């Protein structure tokens, strides 16, 4: 099997972490995967914000009503931000997040995408606003999601190529 397909099968969303720090060389390789991801018109419009600060991770975990609580126990989070004038900000950020998620998995680092765009916090505040506040970002900086990272404390079953549902493929 292709080593890329093998890596794709092994990738799972990991939401439980040991609390150990992520070695800097692994964090750098994960960031490199994001920085080398394709972007519309090769604009590379993103900025990558990394935090390992437990208070900031806790703040990010509260940025939305549900599905982010585990961020408080992550060892790091990467927030990708793009100026709202870039019409492909969602696509450019999403691809960077996906590349970093796959890279992390290949390095034995657990990670999970946490949706921040089009979500709200418990108090009704827009989730993106909460993330911008936490990181002191400009209101023009848009955020589709955050990648939570840590040394895995769980080992879910890998996907299998057999799970690929070819009934969804249509040749016309
Ligand atoms: C756009 C997108 C948004 C997601 N948002 C969240 C989220 O907010 N919280 C969460 O725990 N997982 C989130 N996930 C992870 C998915 O739940 C996960 O990919 C899915 O359940 C399949 O599991 P797997 O990644 O282990 O194959 C998100 C994934 C994507 C692609």
């Amino acid at each position: 099997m292709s080593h890329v397909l093998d890596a794709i099968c092994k990738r799972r969303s990991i939401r439980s972490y040991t609390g150990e720090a992520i070695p800097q060389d692994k964090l750098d390789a994960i960031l490199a995967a994001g920085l080398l991801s394709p972007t519309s018109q090769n604009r590379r419009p993103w900025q990558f914000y990394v935090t390992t600060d437990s208070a900031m991770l806790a703040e990010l975990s509260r940025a939305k009503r549900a599905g982010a609580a585990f961020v408080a126990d992550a060892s790091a989070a990467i927030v990708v931000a793009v100026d709202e004038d870039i019409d492909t900000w969602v696509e450019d950020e999403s691809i960077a997040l996906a590349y970093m998620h796959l890279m992390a998995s290949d390095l034995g680092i657990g990670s999970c995408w946490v949706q921040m765009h089009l979500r709200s916090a418990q108090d009704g505040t827009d989730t993106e606003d909460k993330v911008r506040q936490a990181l002191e970002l400009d209101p023009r900086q848009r955020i589709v999601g955050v990648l939570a990272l840590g040394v895995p404390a769980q080992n879910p079953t890998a996907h299998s190529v057999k799970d690929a549902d070819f009934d969804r493929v249509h040749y016309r």
Side-chain angles (χ1 to χ4, degrees):
M1 185 167 39
S2 142
H3 63 279
V4 176
L5 196 53
D6 188 46
I8 286 169
C9 285
K10 287 183 179 145
R11 179 219 60 80
R12 294 298 312 271
S13 294
I14 303 294
R15 303 178 180 85
S16 178
Y17 314 106
T18 64
E20 288 163 85
I22 300 169
Q24 190 63 45
D25 60 329
K26 292 195 175 185
L27 201 49
D28 287 346
I30 292 164
L31 287 162
L35 290 162
L36 293 168
S37 65
T39 58
S40 174
Q41 298 172 34
N42 201 20
R43 286 186 287 211
R44 298 180 190 159
W46 11 241
Q47 302 294 325
F48 293 71
Y49 298 91
V50 184
T51 184
T52 57
D53 178 73
S54 55
M56 194 171 288
L57 290 164
E59 209 175 330
L60 292 175
S61 79
R62 293 189 296 267
K64 68 173 186 165
R65 212 180 298 270
F70 64 93
V71 179
D73 301 320
S75 295
I78 302 175
V79 178
V80 188
V82 170
D83 188 283
E84 63 187 1
D85 275 355
I86 300 291
D87 57 354
T88 55
W89 70 268
V90 170
E91 293 84 351
D92 292 342
E93 288 182 22
S94 297
I95 293 168
L97 284 169
Y99 270 44
M100 292 191 293
H101 179 43
L102 189 61
M103 186 73 236
S105 164
D106 199 51
L107 294 169
I109 299 298
S111 70
C112 187
W113 178 315
V114 186
Q115 180 73 14
M116 296 300 189
H117 178 41
L118 305 172
R119 296 288 181 269
S120 53
Q122 197 67 46
D123 64 6
T125 310
D126 178 73
T127 292
E128 272 191 81
D129 281 340
K130 290 266 189 206
V131 177
R132 281 188 288 264
Q133 266 168 28
L135 278 86
E136 300 182 352
L137 302 186
D138 189 279
R140 299 177 57 81
Q141 288 181 283
R142 303 302 305 271
I143 299 146
V144 74
V146 167
L147 193 68
L149 300 131
V151 174
Q154 61 177 144
N155 183 22
T157 313
H159 294 295
S160 158
V161 177
K162 289 192 220 91
D163 301 333
D165 181 5
F166 276 83
D167 289 345
R168 294 169 184 270
V169 179
H170 311 280
Y171 291 91
R172 292 279 157 87

